[in-house]
Amino acid sequence: MIAISPRLETILSPGSLPGEVWSHPHRPLAEHLEGVAALAFGMRERHRVPVEEEQLRAVTLTHDLAKRDPRFQRYIRGEGQGTPHACPSARFALDLTGDLLSAEVVCRHHTVVKEFGEAVAQWFGDHACYEKYVAAIRGLDPQWPLRLAEGEWRRLQSELLLNGETDEHQWLRHRALLSLLIAADRMDAVGLRELPEERLPRFTPLHYSGDSALNEWRSGIRSQCLRKAEEIDRPGIYTITLPTGAGKTSTGLEAATRVAGATGAAAIVYALPFISIVEQNAGVAADHFGEAIQEDHSRAALKEERDEGATSQSPLRHMVSFFRSWNAPVTVTTLAKLWSVLFGAKANESINFHRLANAVVILDEPQGIRPELWGGLGRVMEHLTERFGTTFLLMTATQPEIAKGRAVELAPEGVALPASRHRYSVYPERLPLEDLAPLLEERTGFPDQSGMVVLNTRRAALEAYRMLAGQLPEDMTPFFLSTFVTPRERRDILERLRKREREGADRLLVATQVVEAGVDLDFPWVFRDLGPLDSVVQVAGRCNRHGGPDPGTVAVAELVSERNAPYATQVYSATLVDATRQTLRDTPAFDERQVPELIGEYYRQVAERIRQDSPWEAIVSGKWDALPPLYEDKPYSEEAVLVEIDDGLRPLLNRLREGQWSLENLMEKKRLQARLSDYTINVPEKTLQRMRQVAGGITAEEEPLQALEDLGMWLLTGEAVTEAQKPGETEEAGKTALYRRRAGLVLDCEPSVDDSIF
């Protein structure tokens, strides 16, 4: 039973809040408020969230009080338009606590967080909302509204207006309260009256098969990392810096489990940069933990659909589907989702924030975070460690300086593979794209030996694919991967590549950065167009990945267009590219063992050149609604295009467009949207304009490119889709195609180099 203060008891007394007042259909308001409070206090205890009892009690038991308004009650019965209730309810939280942050938690629990200074002005400025909210409620019951004593009101008004400042402690308290309130409110609203049982599962090690020197080395490194992890007895920031292919995923998950046991953590959160890697590594996590894991990403609904009982409309499934609530002891999600949990301004984005308290949070491949954010993110992590009990574990082969001087390394110092798996060969001058084939013949095993070519732009990759595929022996199969290939085809291509690898068959893959991190492929040689050095090293991780007897070759060159413009600077900041050039300028050849030293120099160069865009400064200054984004916005807008690559698209599309969607069947809608994502590519506006021009010359029974205005998408019909371009085939042979299966859009639909936006 939640203890209630005398003042709050007056508000909740039967005469003031009769049972026939409803918060939701079939849920009395008094029961909802008490249910939300009970759930919030249960989560506070489970995760040991450091928020004050009185403030949590006030926000949970007042957050919907203004729903007593007759206009809202008519709305609940399906009559009229209703009236806002959150901010009038917040007036009671302010009365009870004298705490503006508690009032703001209630006021914003359905909208967005406001900058602290703006919130102060809204409540206590010339048009003070406090008085407006008093007036809004006074007519309900003359005895009901409470008010701050005049002296207390003047003190609070003066204090906040004159010293309207905040700090990181206020931010943490505000976000933790908001998270507990929102999570509990949504749970009770969907009918989840008790917290689901959660217990960290046992970790089942998977031993490396075979007795190769590489496997023996992996086992030894794992043991050394775990011994260091066993010494941890308190929250902190830790790193595991291991070369690609060293088994850091399993090692990191086991280390996190041991740290969780030692610190009493209730949850493990595992964040990775891309959805494809999340899906892959969630499988690894399931091998270790069993079914006690939850995948959280936009395609997770498809996994739910395959699981037994996925059609269940249980309250817990509603929470997961409607709000992306984390409800498993081990959650595997994206870095973008974790970023929104930490800093997102929308109310529902904070729903999982309280679960970071006393949790172990793994950041896998964190170098993908913008360098401008590293220093500030490190300060935020340090604050969460000290005040929230969060433990962070950063895992990568190229450790960025996110928590420099504050992180403890768990991997052995100077760790090195038994033997270098590959050697780097850096071409010293800029190279036109048309000269790529001769360079590959000179420095790699092309065209007779399997290999991978990674380019920086989709346009360059398509041109290279056409050029190189025509020079392959008959028994070698060319493949192409980019974000212009639908996700369904990408998975098919990766499986075909792995199959040919297992069979020892020759293959050539030309791709963009979609294969950069976490993709389990292996080639004797790799080429990478110049990019940020950490990206080059990540691609190199696909070269002789499993440590064959003959070292592989990683060739690097800076490719340029016909206008001598580097492709690298079309997708990466000049700062990162310049730092890579400077680092490699005097090192045209090196092997894998030298990479850590070069990465250190590269990050030093980056640190000297960047200007920090820090979430820390935004937090301490109260700008909680405008924290820096995780990734830089693209300098162009994109449109979603559905590509009809098979007969499965139309039934999904028709079902989505014809359905009558409500809360009761929202889960089915989300699964349909997730399945449609298999057919979706994002196309820049300029490319879409060119596609529309080309579409006008295609003879078809229906428009080959159709606007689906109700969905905000486009449909590229099967009439405009052909099979992949055959090696040596001219572009004229497939002029009527807007899309080639397994090869993305045709080059004619790309912008010219003069106005290229890639």
Side-chain angles (χ1 to χ4, degrees):
M1 186 68 181
I2 305 301
I4 300 176
S5 68
R7 299 187 80 196
L8 189 54
E9 190 172 6
T10 300
I11 294 175
L12 294 175
S13 64
S16 296
L17 195 60
E20 65 270 14
V21 176
W22 307 91
S23 67
H24 304 81
H26 315 298
R27 184 65 166 164
L29 177 56
E31 291 182 13
H32 172 64
L33 296 176
E34 292 173 350
V36 169
L39 288 168
F41 271 83
M43 290 183 287
R44 173 182 177 268
E45 180 179 359
R46 173 178 290 181
H47 297 281
R48 309 200 307 277
V49 185
V51 296
E52 298 87 343
E53 289 188 13
E54 188 62 27
Q55 290 173 341
L56 182 59
R57 185 180 297 113
V59 300
T60 53
L61 289 172
T62 64
H63 75 282
D64 275 354
L65 273 177
K67 284 186 175 181
R68 187 189 174 191
D69 191 315
R71 290 170 295 179
F72 193 91
Q73 291 301 301
R74 289 194 294 270
Y75 170 71
I76 286 287
R77 297 192 297 268
E79 307 167 6
Q81 299 299 314
T83 184
H85 69 276
C87 288
S89 297
R91 200 227 53 163
F92 291 106
L94 185 61
D95 279 352
L96 289 164
T97 63
D99 175 45
L100 177 62
L101 290 182
S102 295
E104 274 294 288
V105 166
V106 174
C107 191
R108 309 299 168 192
H109 79 276
H110 284 299
T111 53
V112 295
V113 172
K114 291 288 186 181
E115 180 186 357
F116 184 77
E118 183 180 343
V120 170
Q122 177 173 312
W123 282 93
F124 301 106
D126 294 337
H127 304 286
C129 287
Y130 180 86
E131 297 294 343
K132 180 177 70 174
Y133 297 148
V134 169
I137 295 174
R138 185 177 299 281
L140 303 181
D141 187 333
Q143 304 303 315
W144 193 32
L146 299 174
R147 299 196 66 180
L148 288 168
E150 184 68 20
E152 187 178 0
W153 160 256
R154 291 299 177 192
R155 178 198 60 77
L156 184 62
Q157 182 184 40
S158 174
E159 180 180 297
L160 285 170
L161 283 175
L162 293 177
N163 305 301
E165 298 178 357
T166 186
D167 58 23
E168 64 273 19
H169 306 297
Q170 299 282 56
W171 167 79
L172 183 58
R173 181 167 66 89
H174 176 268
R175 196 150 187 90
L177 280 170
L178 184 65
S179 177
L180 288 169
L181 172 62
I182 290 174
D185 180 47
R186 301 334 184 232
M187 285 180 184
D188 190 84
V190 301
L192 189 61
R193 308 291 187 234
E194 296 181 356
L195 295 179
E197 183 67 27
E198 289 184 43
R199 183 175 300 174
L200 278 176
R202 290 185 58 187
F203 182 91
T204 302
L206 302 177
H207 298 287
Y208 296 110
S209 59
D211 56 359
S212 69
L214 181 58
N215 284 338
E216 184 178 345
W217 175 82
R218 286 169 173 158
S219 297
I221 291 297
R222 168 179 167 270
S223 297
Q224 293 182 69
C225 291
L226 295 180
R227 280 198 295 271
K228 290 287 293 289
E230 288 173 351
E231 298 173 2
I232 298 171
D233 60 359
R234 66 188 62 189
I237 304 174
Y238 303 93
T239 55
I240 294 181
T241 309
L242 292 173
T244 302
K248 63 179 172 61
T249 298
S250 293
T251 299
L253 288 172
E254 187 166 6
T257 305
R258 298 196 182 190
V259 172
T263 60
I268 294 174
V269 179
Y270 182 19
L272 301 109
F274 308 117
I275 291 176
S276 59
I277 308 176
V278 171
E279 292 178 309
Q280 173 182 293
N281 285 22
V284 177
D287 290 339
H288 290 297
F289 293 117
E291 295 301 316
I293 67 167
Q294 175 184 344
E295 288 184 47
D296 174 40
H297 51 81
S298 60
R299 290 176 47 80
L302 292 180
K303 183 177 184 299
E304 289 184 17
E305 185 179 33
R306 294 191 296 267
D307 288 346
E308 184 178 356
T311 57
S312 167
Q313 298 294 310
S314 71
L316 183 58
R317 286 194 176 276
H318 280 304
M319 280 297 297
V320 173
S321 296
F322 296 172
F323 306 113
R324 292 183 66 175
S325 172
W326 297 345
N327 292 288
V330 179
T331 301
V332 188
T333 189
T334 62
L335 284 173
K337 177 60 178 178
L338 178 62
W339 193 264
S340 73
V341 169
L342 284 168
F343 307 123
K346 296 179 182 178
N348 283 339
E349 290 180 315
S350 72
I351 197 169
N352 297 309
F353 182 80
H354 68 278
R355 295 180 64 91
L356 301 180
N358 295 287
V360 179
V361 178
I362 304 172
L363 277 64
D364 202 343
E365 310 294 0
Q367 71 277 358
I369 297 170
R370 287 194 291 127
E372 293 86 352
L373 302 174
W374 290 351
L377 176 58
R379 294 287 300 276
V380 174
M381 290 165 54
E382 187 176 21
H383 183 61
L384 291 175
T385 293
E386 294 174 352
R387 301 285 179 168
F388 223 44
T390 313
T391 295
F392 290 94
L393 179 60
L394 284 64
M395 308 193 309
T396 180
T398 54
Q399 197 67 245
E401 296 183 350
I402 290 177
K404 186 177 182 181
R406 298 186 290 271
V408 176
E409 178 62 59
L410 300 185
E413 185 177 356
V415 62
L417 288 144
S420 290
R421 293 173 296 180
H422 42 257
R423 299 190 180 100
Y424 292 77
S425 174
V426 182
Y427 190 74
E429 300 174 3
R430 290 182 174 181
L431 190 75
L433 180 61
E434 56 266 27
D435 290 345
L436 175 59
L439 176 73
L440 295 179
E441 291 178 0
E442 174 189 335
R443 303 205 174 197
T444 73
F446 178 83
D448 301 316
Q449 189 183 41
S450 296
M452 179 171 72
V453 174
V454 177
L455 285 301
N456 284 320
T457 72
R458 292 174 290 208
R459 181 184 181 92
L462 279 166
E463 290 182 354
Y465 173 78
R466 293 180 59 202
M467 179 174 60
L468 299 177
Q471 300 184 34
L472 297 180
E474 291 185 3
D475 58 347
M476 183 176 289
T477 303
F479 295 88
F480 180 84
L481 279 174
S482 83
T483 54
F484 271 175
V485 176
T486 64
R488 175 177 290 247
E489 293 174 293
R490 273 186 258 164
R491 290 196 302 275
D492 175 60
I493 290 168
L494 287 171
E495 183 51 43
R496 291 171 62 204
L497 277 163
R498 294 185 184 110
K499 182 175 184 293
R500 290 188 68 83
E501 182 181 324
R502 291 191 299 269
E503 295 172 347
D506 290 332
R507 63 229 175 264
L508 174 73
L509 172 62
V510 180
T512 58
Q513 303 92 325
V514 293
V515 297
E516 190 166 287
V519 178
D520 189 11
L521 296 173
D522 193 4
F523 296 92
W525 63 265
V526 165
F527 171 84
R528 177 63 162 92
D529 189 4
L530 187 77
L533 186 57
D534 57 310
S535 297
V536 174
V537 172
Q538 290 292 336
V539 169
R542 311 319 129 194
C543 181
N544 194 20
R545 182 178 179 85
H546 302 299
D550 299 321
T553 298
V554 178
V556 180
E558 184 170 10
L559 298 179
V560 296
S561 67
E562 53 265 40
R563 298 178 63 228
N564 201 37
Y567 291 105
T569 53
Q570 295 182 36
V571 293
Y572 297 112
S573 75
T575 296
L576 301 182
V577 177
D578 287 343
T580 302
R581 291 191 190 109
Q582 183 69 22
T583 303
L584 298 181
R585 183 183 59 183
D586 300 322
T587 315
F590 56 96
D591 67 26
E592 189 176 14
R593 290 173 178 267
Q594 296 171 263
V595 166
E597 180 182 350
L598 290 170
I599 283 291
E601 172 61 20
Y602 165 72
Y603 284 144
R604 188 186 67 78
Q605 293 276 347
V606 170
E608 289 180 353
R609 298 162 188 260
I610 62 172
R611 180 178 181 180
Q612 288 292 322
D613 184 11
S614 174
W616 181 253
E617 279 68 26
I619 284 173
V620 298
S621 63
K623 297 177 181 178
W624 303 340
D625 60 337
L627 286 139
L630 178 61
Y631 303 114
E632 289 186 89
D633 292 335
K634 294 179 179 178
Y636 54 88
S637 58
E638 292 184 323
E639 300 275 355
V641 177
L642 292 168
V643 183
E644 192 175 15
I645 56 175
D646 59 37
D647 295 335
L649 174 60
R650 291 296 178 105
L652 294 175
L653 184 58
N654 293 338
R655 176 73 186 97
L656 182 64
R657 301 181 79 185
E658 296 169 3
Q660 300 296 316
W661 305 112
S662 64
L663 284 177
E664 285 69 30
N665 61 0
L666 186 59
M667 290 173 65
E668 181 186 357
K669 180 181 180 182
K670 286 181 174 291
R671 285 195 290 269
L672 287 171
Q673 291 172 329
R675 291 171 66 185
L676 279 180
S677 69
D678 268 347
Y679 297 88
T680 306
I681 58 176
N682 292 310
V683 177
E685 281 188 352
K686 287 188 177 182
T687 300
L688 185 66
Q689 293 170 8
R690 177 60 179 149
M691 288 173 66
R692 296 177 68 183
Q693 295 172 6
V694 175
I698 296 177
T699 303
E701 295 181 3
E702 59 180 341
E703 288 292 327
L705 185 63
Q706 303 173 9
L708 308 179
E709 295 182 359
D710 54 331
L711 298 179
M713 305 175 76
W714 293 79
L715 171 65
L716 191 60
T717 71
E719 296 283 355
V721 176
T722 70
E723 289 302 313
Q725 182 172 319
K726 298 180 177 61
E729 181 183 50
T730 65
E731 189 61 35
E732 293 300 322
K735 195 71 175 181
T736 58
L738 287 176
Y739 181 91
R740 295 188 183 279
R741 290 199 62 190
R742 304 189 181 93
L745 297 176
V746 295
L747 294 177
D748 270 4
C749 292
E750 293 281 20
S752 69
V753 175
D754 291 340
D755 61 356
S756 176
I757 52 177
F758 298 106

